[in-house]
Each structure stands twice: as C-alpha cells, then as structure tokens.
Amino acid sequence: MDWKFHYGELVNKVKYQLHAKGLDVITAIYDYYQSFDIDGSGQLDKVEFENFLRKVGMFLTTQELTVVFKHFDLNQDKQIHYKEFVEALRADFPDKRVAVVRYAFQSLDRSGAGALSLADLVANFRAAAHPRVKLREKQEDRVLAEFEAGLSLRADGDVVSEAAFLEFYADVSACLPAEKDEYFVDMVLDTWGLVSTQRVSELEDILYEKVRQRTHGADDEGKTAARVFRHFDKDESGSVSFEEFNQVLEAYGC
C-alpha cells in the first residue's frame, strides 16, 4: 500500500489514540510530549516521536511512521516542534463542529456584544454534563480545571471573544477523530445547557400544530396564539418571562 495517499487516515488514528488516553484538550498533551524531548530542544526527532506515539498507544510500521512524521514536520527539518504538532492536529476543524460552537457562543452572548467574561464562562460551564464525567472517566473538578486552563490561554485577560471561543474549541476538536462529530456536538450543547437548533425547529413545528388544533371557526392561528399570549402575560407588559413562556408550552402540551 502506498501510505503517502493515506496520511489522513493515519493522522485520524493519532487523534483516536489521544482521545482514548483521555487527552481532551491540546494543553493536556503538552506534558506527554515534553517527557519525550530528551535533549530539551522543544522538539522531537523521529525516534522520540515514535516513542511518544507508543506512549499514547499507537504502534506504526516503519512506512506509516515516515508518513505521519512528514505530515507533522511542517518545515521539513526532520524535527517536530510541539507547535507544529498542534498546528497539524488543529488544521481540520469540521464545519459541523464550527457551527455548534458558533451557536453556543451566540446563545451565551445574549447582549450581542461579541465578547464574554472568562469568569462567567467558567462559572456557567456544566462540567457535570461532560461525557467524560457522565461515563465516570474523569472527575468533574478535573474537567472544569482543564476547561478553565485551556480557555484562559485564548482569552484576553477576562475577555473571551467569539474568535477566542472558537480557537479553544478548535483545540478540543483537534483531539477528536473524525468519527466523533456527534460526541463533539453533544458535549458542547450539554456543557452549556443548550438545545440543538434542530430540536428548536422541531418544537416550533409542534407548537404551531398545537395552535392550529386549537383554532376554530372564524379565528386564525394568529388570533389563537395572541389570545393565549395575553392570558399568560399577567402584567400586560407585552412580553412573557421564561417562566410564563414555559407555562404556555405546558398549556399546549409541549
């Protein structure tokens, strides 16, 4: 087999092994990587890199190792600097993953300011909902600490822009193989307590159907919805609170 045409598959295997080792963010890989830098140069030669891969559970043939090494050795100096390794892993950030991260940020950024507080993000991050915690593979406090450490590297002081938020999740994505798209999406949504856009669309359809079913005679759906809205708008403010809206959904059986 001509492995030069299959480096993508081999790199994906590297990501699979990193994930299997519980390395969920780029920063968590650093200690592993540095421990094989025998001469302290900040980079690994081919032998050191092979030992690193074996440490994370990946055993390659000589030909496979050559292909993977060349892929990560971006400047072709026969050494792989940690930054090169990270850059190569982060190169592929699938659109599906990018979309859910943007959705999460925009959902959290209710004011539309384009920036969020690092402290607020850490306070609101639901580490208990992380799949590693739910599967009892990691403790909640460890997941939270990894999140804070990783996001802090991308933040500007206490300010986290949308770009910084995306950069952090690009780091997270870099440790996940291609077949883990749904894992990534669920992780982002669950740890921020969000509902997918697909589910929101489904709820809209259900609510519309419930309104249609309650519309009779000369009324139309708009009048029916307005009547229900006024019923739950107790203070006649022209808007309903989250609790009031929840009552609307319950009244319609949603």
Side-chain angles (χ1 to χ4, degrees):
M1 180 180 290
D2 191 347
W3 283 107
K4 69 181 180 180
F5 296 115
H6 298 274
Y7 68 85
E9 179 182 342
L10 291 173
V11 172
N12 196 58
K13 287 182 179 179
V14 173
K15 293 185 177 187
Y16 183 89
Q17 290 304 131
L18 293 175
H19 177 68
K21 277 289 184 181
L23 302 173
D24 296 316
V25 290
I26 289 290
T27 50
I29 301 173
Y30 186 73
D31 289 340
Y32 266 82
Y33 200 86
Q34 289 296 97
S35 67
F36 291 93
D37 180 18
I38 306 302
D39 59 5
S41 64
Q43 50 197 12
L44 305 184
D45 61 25
K46 195 171 183 179
V47 172
E48 292 171 330
F49 187 66
E50 181 179 19
N51 289 335
F52 165 74
L53 292 180
R54 288 180 174 178
K55 176 69 173 179
V56 298
M58 189 166 182
F59 300 88
L60 302 177
T61 66
T62 300
Q63 194 172 20
E64 289 172 337
L65 177 63
T66 298
V67 171
V68 173
F69 189 86
K70 286 183 178 179
H71 177 77
F72 286 107
D73 181 16
L74 300 181
N75 64 2
Q76 301 300 303
D77 65 350
K78 301 187 186 305
Q79 300 281 334
I80 300 177
H81 192 280
Y82 179 70
K83 289 183 179 179
E84 288 182 308
F85 183 66
V86 169
E87 186 176 338
L89 286 178
R90 294 177 81 254
D92 180 28
F93 192 11
D95 291 344
K96 184 174 184 177
R97 300 184 187 184
V98 172
V100 75
V101 174
R102 289 192 186 280
Y103 168 66
F105 184 89
Q106 290 163 10
S107 297
L108 295 166
D109 182 22
R110 295 187 178 91
S111 68
L116 298 167
S117 161
L118 174 62
D120 287 345
L121 287 171
V122 172
N124 290 304
F125 182 73
R126 302 184 180 191
H130 194 285
R132 292 286 194 191
V133 177
K134 290 192 287 188
L135 292 172
R136 298 184 179 181
E137 295 173 349
K138 285 186 178 181
Q139 295 294 319
E140 182 179 342
D141 57 352
R142 180 181 171 188
V143 169
L144 181 60
E146 289 179 350
F147 168 76
E148 183 173 8
L151 191 57
S152 296
L153 292 176
R154 300 298 182 182
D156 182 9
D158 188 53
V159 178
V160 179
S161 65
E162 183 172 357
F165 198 73
L166 281 163
E167 286 293 312
F168 166 73
Y169 276 105
D171 290 344
V172 176
S173 176
C175 302
L176 287 171
E179 57 269 28
K180 289 289 186 177
D181 275 352
E182 293 304 320
Y183 176 100
F184 181 90
V185 169
D186 290 343
M187 175 195 65
V188 173
L189 293 175
D190 291 349
T191 52
W192 293 114
L194 299 173
V195 179
S196 70
T197 53
Q198 179 181 351
R199 181 56 179 158
V200 170
S201 180
E202 291 172 355
L203 289 172
E204 287 176 346
D205 290 342
I206 292 171
L207 184 56
Y208 177 80
E209 178 60 21
K210 295 292 185 180
V211 170
R212 189 192 65 77
Q213 291 172 2
R214 292 191 177 209
T215 301
H216 305 287
D219 284 349
D220 58 28
E221 288 84 355
K223 290 180 180 179
T224 302
R227 185 167 59 251
V228 174
F229 183 91
R230 288 194 298 270
H231 175 74
F232 287 97
D233 181 18
K234 303 297 185 183
D235 58 3
E236 299 182 352
S237 64
S239 63
V240 292
S241 66
F242 177 82
E243 291 75 16
E244 290 170 334
F245 183 67
N246 193 45
Q247 291 173 4
V248 174
L249 295 179
E250 289 178 354
Y252 275 93
C254 295

